[in-house]
Amino acid sequence: MIGKLLHGTAVAALFATSSALAETTAITGATVWSGTSDSPLENAVVIMVDGEISALGDMTLAIPEDATLIEAGGKWITPGIFSPFSQTGLVEVNAEASTNDTVAAEAKYSVALDAADGFNPSATAIAVTRLEGVTRMAVVPSAGKTLFAGQGLIADTSGAANSVNEAQAFQYIVLGEGGAALSGGSRPAAWATLRAALDDARSFTRRYLGSSEGGALNRVDAEALVPAARGRQLMLVQVHRASDIRQLLTFMEEFSDLDIAIVGANEGWLVADELAAAGVPVIIDPFDNLPASFEQLGATSRNAERLIAAGVKTSFAHLGQNSHQARLALQSAGNAVAAGVDPADAIRAITSAPADLFGFDDLGRLEVGATADLVIWDGDPLEVTSAPEAVYINGEAQPMESRQTKLRDRYISLDETDLPLAYRK
């Protein structure tokens, strides 16, 4: 066996070398949050074989003789963080339109827009996101001139060319104040548009035999909406106000075969019991606790605690500046704990809960047979000062560097003995 002590920043290079050469890796003496348990497993052993978790247990667990051995020394291990809402990989520079593929305000199409067509696995924000422990993310387009933003994707943060795990994973729809503004100026107009669009999709192709236009959608968009309209594709619906959430629940009774999850839900706590009874999951930002608009007057830092206590399947995301700051889902989870959420629930909300929401029952958890996405931390992952010491995706150690760290390393020890005269003090 090869023994390695997990210590300090030098661990990244050791991990990258050892993992690349071995298909079996055993991490011993760790404090493991599985993403599904109510408490951590102390002094645990995690064994990864060919990209999967092959064993998880205490120190009596037999370790394969050919395994690369990493001694964790009590350090925390969690599943890789799953960010359920981001635009990472669609934007390089927010202020430069040529690098921003989140929205197409002048496009002829809306529902048919596929974010995977614009996703760049080499975007600099992806490495930054991975360095904070995020291994998977839902990448979401923005609405342009209709309430239909288009189709989002699930990707890993490896930066590999094949890092899109599922294209067209969901349809993103904006209701509430945003949907009203995009539908003519009122909520009734938005709901009428949504009903007409679903009717177009459900009657495709019959409705379009004599024309290329439907009641709300052109032929291309209607065809793209068919999977969601027939319950085969998840619909992420942005809505905040309690009355809008109730309207959505009523709508779901009318269209009972739809698969819907809510994004935002700042007033979700006011209808938590109704959400739980309907089995509708939510993606919230626990730190989004201010009345930023009229539809968010009931925003509170207790939203997460109350939703979880009611039994609502809750995932955490950072919903602001999510092209470059999706990694702050961890900080949002820590803030939720400070506001009363149990740490185990907070860990679930950034690991197994979003994985389940998007239909990936092998991600977001450390259990036998799960994909070996995991993070080794230098402290409590819900503490803002903690950071990953190693990140694994599909059992492979990832490089612990980004453009920022390379610039830091380049200039932190710059030789200043031979600078031009203008730089001399």
Side-chain angles (χ1 to χ4, degrees), residues 177 187 239-246 262-272 274-275 282 284 288 290-291 293-300 303 306-307:
E177 288 180 4
R187 284 174 168 83
V239 66
H240 288 288
R241 199 170 74 179
S243 62
D244 290 333
I245 295 173
R246 288 193 181 99
I262 293 176
V263 175
N266 280 18
E267 294 190 350
W269 64 276
L270 291 167
V271 289
E274 294 160 69
L275 285 167
V282 298
I284 67 168
D288 203 356
L290 296 176
S293 67
F294 283 105
E295 66 179 356
Q296 301 175 66
L297 293 178
T300 170
N303 190 31
R306 292 166 179 171
L307 285 165

PDB file of all heavy atoms in Angstrom, residues 177 187 239-246 262-272 274-275 282 284 288 290-291 293-300 303 306-307:
ATOM      1  N   GLU A 177     -43.966  38.053 -10.790  1.00  0.00           N
ATOM      2  CA  GLU A 177     -43.771  39.379 -11.365  1.00  0.00           C
ATOM      3  C   GLU A 177     -43.031  39.317 -12.699  1.00  0.00           C
ATOM      4  O   GLU A 177     -43.376  40.012 -13.648  1.00  0.00           O
ATOM      5  CB  GLU A 177     -42.993  40.262 -10.387  1.00  0.00           C
ATOM      6  CG  GLU A 177     -43.797  40.687  -9.173  1.00  0.00           C
ATOM      7  CD  GLU A 177     -42.981  41.564  -8.230  1.00  0.00           C
ATOM      8  OE1 GLU A 177     -41.823  41.897  -8.567  1.00  0.00           O
ATOM      9  OE2 GLU A 177     -43.499  41.918  -7.153  1.00  0.00           O
ATOM     10  N   ARG A 187     -50.302  38.919 -14.174  1.00  0.00           N
ATOM     11  CA  ARG A 187     -50.248  37.500 -13.865  1.00  0.00           C
ATOM     12  C   ARG A 187     -51.292  36.710 -14.653  1.00  0.00           C
ATOM     13  O   ARG A 187     -50.981  35.606 -15.142  1.00  0.00           O
ATOM     14  CB  ARG A 187     -50.406  37.295 -12.353  1.00  0.00           C
ATOM     15  CG  ARG A 187     -49.153  37.643 -11.548  1.00  0.00           C
ATOM     16  CD  ARG A 187     -49.414  37.556 -10.055  1.00  0.00           C
ATOM     17  NE  ARG A 187     -48.187  37.604  -9.264  1.00  0.00           N
ATOM     18  CZ  ARG A 187     -47.571  38.720  -8.927  1.00  0.00           C
ATOM     19  NH1 ARG A 187     -48.071  39.892  -9.319  1.00  0.00           N
ATOM     20  NH2 ARG A 187     -46.456  38.675  -8.205  1.00  0.00           N
ATOM     21  N   VAL A 239     -41.085  31.268  -8.912  1.00  0.00           N
ATOM     22  CA  VAL A 239     -42.224  31.942  -8.295  1.00  0.00           C
ATOM     23  C   VAL A 239     -41.883  32.196  -6.833  1.00  0.00           C
ATOM     24  O   VAL A 239     -41.193  31.393  -6.198  1.00  0.00           O
ATOM     25  CB  VAL A 239     -43.503  31.081  -8.447  1.00  0.00           C
ATOM     26  CG1 VAL A 239     -43.406  29.802  -7.665  1.00  0.00           C
ATOM     27  CG2 VAL A 239     -44.748  31.847  -8.095  1.00  0.00           C
ATOM     28  N   HIS A 240     -42.336  33.328  -6.297  1.00  0.00           N
ATOM     29  CA  HIS A 240     -41.981  33.711  -4.928  1.00  0.00           C
ATOM     30  C   HIS A 240     -43.193  33.891  -4.021  1.00  0.00           C
ATOM     31  O   HIS A 240     -43.203  33.396  -2.903  1.00  0.00           O
ATOM     32  CB  HIS A 240     -41.190  35.029  -4.941  1.00  0.00           C
ATOM     33  CG  HIS A 240     -39.802  34.911  -5.470  1.00  0.00           C
ATOM     34  ND1 HIS A 240     -38.788  34.300  -4.778  1.00  0.00           N
ATOM     35  CD2 HIS A 240     -39.260  35.333  -6.645  1.00  0.00           C
ATOM     36  CE1 HIS A 240     -37.665  34.347  -5.486  1.00  0.00           C
ATOM     37  NE2 HIS A 240     -37.930  34.971  -6.617  1.00  0.00           N
ATOM     38  N   ARG A 241     -44.205  34.641  -4.483  1.00  0.00           N
ATOM     39  CA  ARG A 241     -45.302  35.049  -3.616  1.00  0.00           C
ATOM     40  C   ARG A 241     -46.159  33.861  -3.213  1.00  0.00           C
ATOM     41  O   ARG A 241     -46.408  32.961  -4.019  1.00  0.00           O
ATOM     42  CB  ARG A 241     -46.148  36.115  -4.327  1.00  0.00           C
ATOM     43  CG  ARG A 241     -47.016  36.936  -3.431  1.00  0.00           C
ATOM     44  CD  ARG A 241     -47.630  38.106  -4.182  1.00  0.00           C
ATOM     45  NE  ARG A 241     -48.710  37.683  -5.083  1.00  0.00           N
ATOM     46  CZ  ARG A 241     -49.415  38.514  -5.834  1.00  0.00           C
ATOM     47  NH1 ARG A 241     -49.121  39.814  -5.823  1.00  0.00           N
ATOM     48  NH2 ARG A 241     -50.385  38.067  -6.611  1.00  0.00           N
ATOM     49  N   ALA A 242     -46.621  33.869  -1.985  1.00  0.00           N
ATOM     50  CA  ALA A 242     -47.424  32.750  -1.482  1.00  0.00           C
ATOM     51  C   ALA A 242     -48.651  32.514  -2.342  1.00  0.00           C
ATOM     52  O   ALA A 242     -48.991  31.371  -2.657  1.00  0.00           O
ATOM     53  CB  ALA A 242     -47.823  33.011  -0.031  1.00  0.00           C
ATOM     54  N   SER A 243     -49.322  33.574  -2.764  1.00  0.00           N
ATOM     55  CA  SER A 243     -50.527  33.402  -3.583  1.00  0.00           C
ATOM     56  C   SER A 243     -50.188  32.825  -4.950  1.00  0.00           C
ATOM     57  O   SER A 243     -50.968  32.046  -5.516  1.00  0.00           O
ATOM     58  CB  SER A 243     -51.256  34.744  -3.749  1.00  0.00           C
ATOM     59  OG  SER A 243     -50.435  35.685  -4.431  1.00  0.00           O
ATOM     60  N   ASP A 244     -49.012  33.164  -5.484  1.00  0.00           N
ATOM     61  CA  ASP A 244     -48.584  32.587  -6.766  1.00  0.00           C
ATOM     62  C   ASP A 244     -48.265  31.107  -6.611  1.00  0.00           C
ATOM     63  O   ASP A 244     -48.524  30.308  -7.514  1.00  0.00           O
ATOM     64  CB  ASP A 244     -47.361  33.331  -7.298  1.00  0.00           C
ATOM     65  CG  ASP A 244     -47.686  34.754  -7.749  1.00  0.00           C
ATOM     66  OD1 ASP A 244     -48.836  35.002  -8.129  1.00  0.00           O
ATOM     67  OD2 ASP A 244     -46.776  35.600  -7.697  1.00  0.00           O
ATOM     68  N   ILE A 245     -47.665  30.745  -5.471  1.00  0.00           N
ATOM     69  CA  ILE A 245     -47.377  29.332  -5.225  1.00  0.00           C
ATOM     70  C   ILE A 245     -48.682  28.543  -5.123  1.00  0.00           C
ATOM     71  O   ILE A 245     -48.802  27.443  -5.684  1.00  0.00           O
ATOM     72  CB  ILE A 245     -46.532  29.170  -3.950  1.00  0.00           C
ATOM     73  CG1 ILE A 245     -45.158  29.826  -4.142  1.00  0.00           C
ATOM     74  CG2 ILE A 245     -46.356  27.692  -3.604  1.00  0.00           C
ATOM     75  CD1 ILE A 245     -44.305  29.878  -2.884  1.00  0.00           C
ATOM     76  N   ARG A 246     -49.661  29.105  -4.428  1.00  0.00           N
ATOM     77  CA  ARG A 246     -50.962  28.429  -4.331  1.00  0.00           C
ATOM     78  C   ARG A 246     -51.602  28.275  -5.713  1.00  0.00           C
ATOM     79  O   ARG A 246     -52.189  27.246  -6.024  1.00  0.00           O
ATOM     80  CB  ARG A 246     -51.894  29.210  -3.403  1.00  0.00           C
ATOM     81  CG  ARG A 246     -51.532  29.112  -1.927  1.00  0.00           C
ATOM     82  CD  ARG A 246     -52.661  29.623  -1.061  1.00  0.00           C
ATOM     83  NE  ARG A 246     -52.314  29.544   0.348  1.00  0.00           N
ATOM     84  CZ  ARG A 246     -51.879  30.571   1.069  1.00  0.00           C
ATOM     85  NH1 ARG A 246     -51.740  31.766   0.492  1.00  0.00           N
ATOM     86  NH2 ARG A 246     -51.589  30.405   2.342  1.00  0.00           N
ATOM     87  N   ILE A 262     -40.136  24.183  -7.804  1.00  0.00           N
ATOM     88  CA  ILE A 262     -40.199  25.635  -7.678  1.00  0.00           C
ATOM     89  C   ILE A 262     -38.813  26.197  -7.384  1.00  0.00           C
ATOM     90  O   ILE A 262     -38.060  25.646  -6.580  1.00  0.00           O
ATOM     91  CB  ILE A 262     -41.178  26.048  -6.564  1.00  0.00           C
ATOM     92  CG1 ILE A 262     -42.613  25.685  -6.974  1.00  0.00           C
ATOM     93  CG2 ILE A 262     -41.074  27.532  -6.248  1.00  0.00           C
ATOM     94  CD1 ILE A 262     -43.651  25.956  -5.897  1.00  0.00           C
ATOM     95  N   VAL A 263     -38.483  27.310  -8.027  1.00  0.00           N
ATOM     96  CA  VAL A 263     -37.253  28.057  -7.765  1.00  0.00           C
ATOM     97  C   VAL A 263     -37.629  29.390  -7.132  1.00  0.00           C
ATOM     98  O   VAL A 263     -38.530  30.076  -7.617  1.00  0.00           O
ATOM     99  CB  VAL A 263     -36.458  28.307  -9.061  1.00  0.00           C
ATOM    100  CG1 VAL A 263     -35.246  29.191  -8.783  1.00  0.00           C
ATOM    101  CG2 VAL A 263     -36.029  27.003  -9.688  1.00  0.00           C
ATOM    102  N   GLY A 264     -36.960  29.748  -6.067  1.00  0.00           N
ATOM    103  CA  GLY A 264     -37.226  31.024  -5.406  1.00  0.00           C
ATOM    104  C   GLY A 264     -37.963  30.820  -4.108  1.00  0.00           C
ATOM    105  O   GLY A 264     -37.380  30.697  -3.044  1.00  0.00           O
ATOM    106  N   ALA A 265     -39.301  30.817  -4.202  1.00  0.00           N
ATOM    107  CA  ALA A 265     -40.185  30.512  -3.057  1.00  0.00           C
ATOM    108  C   ALA A 265     -39.823  31.296  -1.802  1.00  0.00           C
ATOM    109  O   ALA A 265     -39.785  30.736  -0.713  1.00  0.00           O
ATOM    110  CB  ALA A 265     -40.185  29.006  -2.778  1.00  0.00           C
ATOM    111  N   ASN A 266     -39.575  32.597  -1.955  1.00  0.00           N
ATOM    112  CA  ASN A 266     -39.223  33.395  -0.782  1.00  0.00           C
ATOM    113  C   ASN A 266     -40.329  33.432   0.255  1.00  0.00           C
ATOM    114  O   ASN A 266     -40.068  33.608   1.443  1.00  0.00           O
ATOM    115  CB  ASN A 266     -38.859  34.815  -1.208  1.00  0.00           C
ATOM    116  CG  ASN A 266     -37.440  34.919  -1.731  1.00  0.00           C
ATOM    117  OD1 ASN A 266     -36.833  33.908  -2.082  1.00  0.00           O
ATOM    118  ND2 ASN A 266     -36.907  36.116  -1.795  1.00  0.00           N
ATOM    119  N   GLU A 267     -41.572  33.296  -0.193  1.00  0.00           N
ATOM    120  CA  GLU A 267     -42.697  33.218   0.739  1.00  0.00           C
ATOM    121  C   GLU A 267     -43.194  31.785   0.890  1.00  0.00           C
ATOM    122  O   GLU A 267     -44.321  31.555   1.318  1.00  0.00           O
ATOM    123  CB  GLU A 267     -43.831  34.133   0.293  1.00  0.00           C
ATOM    124  CG  GLU A 267     -43.488  35.613   0.355  1.00  0.00           C
ATOM    125  CD  GLU A 267     -44.696  36.514   0.145  1.00  0.00           C
ATOM    126  OE1 GLU A 267     -45.783  36.020  -0.235  1.00  0.00           O
ATOM    127  OE2 GLU A 267     -44.559  37.726   0.366  1.00  0.00           O
ATOM    128  N   GLY A 268     -42.325  30.838   0.575  1.00  0.00           N
ATOM    129  CA  GLY A 268     -42.717  29.433   0.648  1.00  0.00           C
ATOM    130  C   GLY A 268     -43.142  28.995   2.032  1.00  0.00           C
ATOM    131  O   GLY A 268     -43.998  28.126   2.186  1.00  0.00           O
ATOM    132  N   TRP A 269     -42.537  29.583   3.060  1.00  0.00           N
ATOM    133  CA  TRP A 269     -42.854  29.188   4.434  1.00  0.00           C
ATOM    134  C   TRP A 269     -44.329  29.415   4.765  1.00  0.00           C
ATOM    135  O   TRP A 269     -44.889  28.732   5.622  1.00  0.00           O
ATOM    136  CB  TRP A 269     -41.969  29.940   5.419  1.00  0.00           C
ATOM    137  CG  TRP A 269     -42.167  31.441   5.430  1.00  0.00           C
ATOM    138  CD1 TRP A 269     -41.596  32.342   4.583  1.00  0.00           C
ATOM    139  CD2 TRP A 269     -42.972  32.192   6.338  1.00  0.00           C
ATOM    140  NE1 TRP A 269     -41.996  33.620   4.897  1.00  0.00           N
ATOM    141  CE2 TRP A 269     -42.834  33.550   5.975  1.00  0.00           C
ATOM    142  CE3 TRP A 269     -43.779  31.849   7.421  1.00  0.00           C
ATOM    143  CZ2 TRP A 269     -43.492  34.580   6.649  1.00  0.00           C
ATOM    144  CZ3 TRP A 269     -44.430  32.871   8.104  1.00  0.00           C
ATOM    145  CH2 TRP A 269     -44.290  34.213   7.722  1.00  0.00           C
ATOM    146  N   LEU A 270     -44.959  30.367   4.061  1.00  0.00           N
ATOM    147  CA  LEU A 270     -46.375  30.650   4.310  1.00  0.00           C
ATOM    148  C   LEU A 270     -47.285  29.549   3.783  1.00  0.00           C
ATOM    149  O   LEU A 270     -48.439  29.441   4.218  1.00  0.00           O
ATOM    150  CB  LEU A 270     -46.758  31.990   3.668  1.00  0.00           C
ATOM    151  CG  LEU A 270     -46.148  33.235   4.311  1.00  0.00           C
ATOM    152  CD1 LEU A 270     -46.338  34.449   3.418  1.00  0.00           C
ATOM    153  CD2 LEU A 270     -46.766  33.457   5.682  1.00  0.00           C
ATOM    154  N   VAL A 271     -46.778  28.749   2.856  1.00  0.00           N
ATOM    155  CA  VAL A 271     -47.579  27.664   2.270  1.00  0.00           C
ATOM    156  C   VAL A 271     -46.826  26.338   2.385  1.00  0.00           C
ATOM    157  O   VAL A 271     -47.008  25.444   1.564  1.00  0.00           O
ATOM    158  CB  VAL A 271     -47.935  27.964   0.795  1.00  0.00           C
ATOM    159  CG1 VAL A 271     -48.949  29.088   0.693  1.00  0.00           C
ATOM    160  CG2 VAL A 271     -46.676  28.319  -0.019  1.00  0.00           C
ATOM    161  N   ALA A 272     -45.984  26.225   3.400  1.00  0.00           N
ATOM    162  CA  ALA A 272     -45.118  25.051   3.535  1.00  0.00           C
ATOM    163  C   ALA A 272     -45.919  23.759   3.627  1.00  0.00           C
ATOM    164  O   ALA A 272     -45.570  22.750   2.991  1.00  0.00           O
ATOM    165  CB  ALA A 272     -44.214  25.207   4.761  1.00  0.00           C
ATOM    166  N   GLU A 274     -48.840  23.100   2.454  1.00  0.00           N
ATOM    167  CA  GLU A 274     -49.454  22.799   1.156  1.00  0.00           C
ATOM    168  C   GLU A 274     -48.422  22.250   0.174  1.00  0.00           C
ATOM    169  O   GLU A 274     -48.716  21.328  -0.597  1.00  0.00           O
ATOM    170  CB  GLU A 274     -50.112  24.068   0.595  1.00  0.00           C
ATOM    171  CG  GLU A 274     -51.292  24.553   1.429  1.00  0.00           C
ATOM    172  CD  GLU A 274     -51.626  26.006   1.166  1.00  0.00           C
ATOM    173  OE1 GLU A 274     -52.106  26.287   0.055  1.00  0.00           O
ATOM    174  OE2 GLU A 274     -51.402  26.851   2.056  1.00  0.00           O
ATOM    175  N   LEU A 275     -47.222  22.813   0.199  1.00  0.00           N
ATOM    176  CA  LEU A 275     -46.151  22.303  -0.661  1.00  0.00           C
ATOM    177  C   LEU A 275     -45.795  20.873  -0.288  1.00  0.00           C
ATOM    178  O   LEU A 275     -45.602  20.014  -1.159  1.00  0.00           O
ATOM    179  CB  LEU A 275     -44.917  23.196  -0.550  1.00  0.00           C
ATOM    180  CG  LEU A 275     -44.965  24.540  -1.265  1.00  0.00           C
ATOM    181  CD1 LEU A 275     -43.816  25.438  -0.796  1.00  0.00           C
ATOM    182  CD2 LEU A 275     -44.891  24.347  -2.774  1.00  0.00           C
ATOM    183  N   VAL A 282     -38.577  22.384  -3.693  1.00  0.00           N
ATOM    184  CA  VAL A 282     -38.220  23.778  -3.909  1.00  0.00           C
ATOM    185  C   VAL A 282     -36.706  23.937  -3.909  1.00  0.00           C
ATOM    186  O   VAL A 282     -35.975  23.187  -3.263  1.00  0.00           O
ATOM    187  CB  VAL A 282     -38.831  24.701  -2.831  1.00  0.00           C
ATOM    188  CG1 VAL A 282     -40.348  24.637  -2.868  1.00  0.00           C
ATOM    189  CG2 VAL A 282     -38.305  24.360  -1.440  1.00  0.00           C
ATOM    190  N   ILE A 284     -34.279  27.032  -2.968  1.00  0.00           N
ATOM    191  CA  ILE A 284     -34.318  28.354  -2.363  1.00  0.00           C
ATOM    192  C   ILE A 284     -32.903  28.834  -2.058  1.00  0.00           C
ATOM    193  O   ILE A 284     -31.959  28.048  -2.011  1.00  0.00           O
ATOM    194  CB  ILE A 284     -35.148  28.360  -1.062  1.00  0.00           C
ATOM    195  CG1 ILE A 284     -34.459  27.524   0.031  1.00  0.00           C
ATOM    196  CG2 ILE A 284     -36.557  27.869  -1.314  1.00  0.00           C
ATOM    197  CD1 ILE A 284     -35.057  27.705   1.403  1.00  0.00           C
ATOM    198  N   ASP A 288     -31.605  34.732   1.061  1.00  0.00           N
ATOM    199  CA  ASP A 288     -32.451  35.695   0.362  1.00  0.00           C
ATOM    200  C   ASP A 288     -33.588  36.077   1.306  1.00  0.00           C
ATOM    201  O   ASP A 288     -34.704  35.570   1.199  1.00  0.00           O
ATOM    202  CB  ASP A 288     -32.985  35.063  -0.925  1.00  0.00           C
ATOM    203  CG  ASP A 288     -33.390  36.100  -1.949  1.00  0.00           C
ATOM    204  OD1 ASP A 288     -33.324  37.302  -1.624  1.00  0.00           O
ATOM    205  OD2 ASP A 288     -33.775  35.711  -3.065  1.00  0.00           O
ATOM    206  N   LEU A 290     -34.632  39.403   2.341  1.00  0.00           N
ATOM    207  CA  LEU A 290     -35.080  40.788   2.348  1.00  0.00           C
ATOM    208  C   LEU A 290     -36.257  40.982   1.389  1.00  0.00           C
ATOM    209  O   LEU A 290     -36.363  40.284   0.376  1.00  0.00           O
ATOM    210  CB  LEU A 290     -33.932  41.715   1.942  1.00  0.00           C
ATOM    211  CG  LEU A 290     -32.726  41.742   2.879  1.00  0.00           C
ATOM    212  CD1 LEU A 290     -31.622  42.625   2.303  1.00  0.00           C
ATOM    213  CD2 LEU A 290     -33.122  42.225   4.261  1.00  0.00           C
ATOM    214  N   PRO A 291     -37.143  41.935   1.671  1.00  0.00           N
ATOM    215  CA  PRO A 291     -38.285  42.204   0.788  1.00  0.00           C
ATOM    216  C   PRO A 291     -37.849  42.988  -0.445  1.00  0.00           C
ATOM    217  O   PRO A 291     -38.160  44.180  -0.605  1.00  0.00           O
ATOM    218  CB  PRO A 291     -39.227  43.008   1.682  1.00  0.00           C
ATOM    219  CG  PRO A 291     -38.322  43.705   2.652  1.00  0.00           C
ATOM    220  CD  PRO A 291     -37.190  42.755   2.900  1.00  0.00           C
ATOM    221  N   SER A 293     -38.761  42.882  -3.470  1.00  0.00           N
ATOM    222  CA  SER A 293     -39.829  43.254  -4.388  1.00  0.00           C
ATOM    223  C   SER A 293     -41.157  42.989  -3.701  1.00  0.00           C
ATOM    224  O   SER A 293     -41.204  42.405  -2.603  1.00  0.00           O
ATOM    225  CB  SER A 293     -39.732  42.451  -5.694  1.00  0.00           C
ATOM    226  OG  SER A 293     -39.998  41.078  -5.437  1.00  0.00           O
ATOM    227  N   PHE A 294     -42.249  43.401  -4.342  1.00  0.00           N
ATOM    228  CA  PHE A 294     -43.561  43.200  -3.728  1.00  0.00           C
ATOM    229  C   PHE A 294     -43.928  41.728  -3.597  1.00  0.00           C
ATOM    230  O   PHE A 294     -44.692  41.358  -2.699  1.00  0.00           O
ATOM    231  CB  PHE A 294     -44.640  43.947  -4.528  1.00  0.00           C
ATOM    232  CG  PHE A 294     -44.644  45.422  -4.263  1.00  0.00           C
ATOM    233  CD1 PHE A 294     -44.126  46.316  -5.188  1.00  0.00           C
ATOM    234  CD2 PHE A 294     -45.167  45.929  -3.085  1.00  0.00           C
ATOM    235  CE1 PHE A 294     -44.114  47.673  -4.942  1.00  0.00           C
ATOM    236  CE2 PHE A 294     -45.169  47.292  -2.832  1.00  0.00           C
ATOM    237  CZ  PHE A 294     -44.637  48.168  -3.766  1.00  0.00           C
ATOM    238  N   GLU A 295     -43.354  40.876  -4.451  1.00  0.00           N
ATOM    239  CA  GLU A 295     -43.657  39.457  -4.341  1.00  0.00           C
ATOM    240  C   GLU A 295     -42.789  38.752  -3.307  1.00  0.00           C
ATOM    241  O   GLU A 295     -42.936  37.560  -3.077  1.00  0.00           O
ATOM    242  CB  GLU A 295     -43.510  38.761  -5.701  1.00  0.00           C
ATOM    243  CG  GLU A 295     -42.089  38.720  -6.245  1.00  0.00           C
ATOM    244  CD  GLU A 295     -41.989  38.004  -7.576  1.00  0.00           C
ATOM    245  OE1 GLU A 295     -43.019  37.472  -8.038  1.00  0.00           O
ATOM    246  OE2 GLU A 295     -40.891  37.995  -8.161  1.00  0.00           O
ATOM    247  N   GLN A 296     -41.895  39.515  -2.657  1.00  0.00           N
ATOM    248  CA  GLN A 296     -41.011  38.946  -1.644  1.00  0.00           C
ATOM    249  C   GLN A 296     -41.153  39.651  -0.292  1.00  0.00           C
ATOM    250  O   GLN A 296     -40.239  39.640   0.519  1.00  0.00           O
ATOM    251  CB  GLN A 296     -39.560  39.038  -2.117  1.00  0.00           C
ATOM    252  CG  GLN A 296     -39.298  38.309  -3.433  1.00  0.00           C
ATOM    253  CD  GLN A 296     -37.890  38.524  -3.934  1.00  0.00           C
ATOM    254  OE1 GLN A 296     -36.922  38.079  -3.318  1.00  0.00           O
ATOM    255  NE2 GLN A 296     -37.749  39.221  -5.048  1.00  0.00           N
ATOM    256  N   LEU A 297     -42.304  40.246  -0.047  1.00  0.00           N
ATOM    257  CA  LEU A 297     -42.494  40.987   1.195  1.00  0.00           C
ATOM    258  C   LEU A 297     -42.395  40.080   2.420  1.00  0.00           C
ATOM    259  O   LEU A 297     -42.045  40.524   3.508  1.00  0.00           O
ATOM    260  CB  LEU A 297     -43.851  41.700   1.180  1.00  0.00           C
ATOM    261  CG  LEU A 297     -43.992  42.837   0.156  1.00  0.00           C
ATOM    262  CD1 LEU A 297     -45.404  43.427   0.222  1.00  0.00           C
ATOM    263  CD2 LEU A 297     -42.952  43.922   0.381  1.00  0.00           C
ATOM    264  N   GLY A 298     -42.710  38.804   2.238  1.00  0.00           N
ATOM    265  CA  GLY A 298     -42.667  37.856   3.357  1.00  0.00           C
ATOM    266  C   GLY A 298     -41.353  37.125   3.490  1.00  0.00           C
ATOM    267  O   GLY A 298     -41.272  36.126   4.213  1.00  0.00           O
ATOM    268  N   ALA A 299     -40.298  37.591   2.815  1.00  0.00           N
ATOM    269  CA  ALA A 299     -38.994  36.924   2.880  1.00  0.00           C
ATOM    270  C   ALA A 299     -38.456  36.925   4.305  1.00  0.00           C
ATOM    271  O   ALA A 299     -38.593  37.908   5.031  1.00  0.00           O
ATOM    272  CB  ALA A 299     -38.003  37.610   1.945  1.00  0.00           C
ATOM    273  N   THR A 300     -37.843  35.809   4.695  1.00  0.00           N
ATOM    274  CA  THR A 300     -37.296  35.679   6.040  1.00  0.00           C
ATOM    275  C   THR A 300     -36.165  34.667   6.042  1.00  0.00           C
ATOM    276  O   THR A 300     -36.149  33.727   5.237  1.00  0.00           O
ATOM    277  CB  THR A 300     -38.385  35.225   7.041  1.00  0.00           C
ATOM    278  OG1 THR A 300     -37.769  34.891   8.289  1.00  0.00           O
ATOM    279  CG2 THR A 300     -39.129  34.004   6.532  1.00  0.00           C
ATOM    280  N   ASN A 303     -37.081  30.895   6.397  1.00  0.00           N
ATOM    281  CA  ASN A 303     -37.786  30.196   5.315  1.00  0.00           C
ATOM    282  C   ASN A 303     -37.338  28.742   5.210  1.00  0.00           C
ATOM    283  O   ASN A 303     -38.159  27.812   5.167  1.00  0.00           O
ATOM    284  CB  ASN A 303     -37.548  30.921   3.991  1.00  0.00           C
ATOM    285  CG  ASN A 303     -38.433  30.419   2.863  1.00  0.00           C
ATOM    286  OD1 ASN A 303     -39.561  29.974   3.079  1.00  0.00           O
ATOM    287  ND2 ASN A 303     -37.937  30.512   1.646  1.00  0.00           N
ATOM    288  N   ARG A 306     -38.429  26.471   8.195  1.00  0.00           N
ATOM    289  CA  ARG A 306     -39.864  26.187   8.226  1.00  0.00           C
ATOM    290  C   ARG A 306     -40.274  25.245   7.095  1.00  0.00           C
ATOM    291  O   ARG A 306     -41.131  24.380   7.282  1.00  0.00           O
ATOM    292  CB  ARG A 306     -40.648  27.498   8.152  1.00  0.00           C
ATOM    293  CG  ARG A 306     -40.469  28.350   9.413  1.00  0.00           C
ATOM    294  CD  ARG A 306     -40.940  29.775   9.225  1.00  0.00           C
ATOM    295  NE  ARG A 306     -40.765  30.551  10.457  1.00  0.00           N
ATOM    296  CZ  ARG A 306     -40.935  31.868  10.546  1.00  0.00           C
ATOM    297  NH1 ARG A 306     -41.276  32.559   9.463  1.00  0.00           N
ATOM    298  NH2 ARG A 306     -40.768  32.484  11.688  1.00  0.00           N
ATOM    299  N   LEU A 307     -39.687  25.411   5.925  1.00  0.00           N
ATOM    300  CA  LEU A 307     -39.991  24.496   4.822  1.00  0.00           C
ATOM    301  C   LEU A 307     -39.550  23.074   5.159  1.00  0.00           C
ATOM    302  O   LEU A 307     -40.305  22.112   4.959  1.00  0.00           O
ATOM    303  CB  LEU A 307     -39.300  24.979   3.546  1.00  0.00           C
ATOM    304  CG  LEU A 307     -39.907  26.193   2.841  1.00  0.00           C
ATOM    305  CD1 LEU A 307     -38.930  26.763   1.824  1.00  0.00           C
ATOM    306  CD2 LEU A 307     -41.228  25.820   2.175  1.00  0.00           C
TER     307      LEU A 307
END
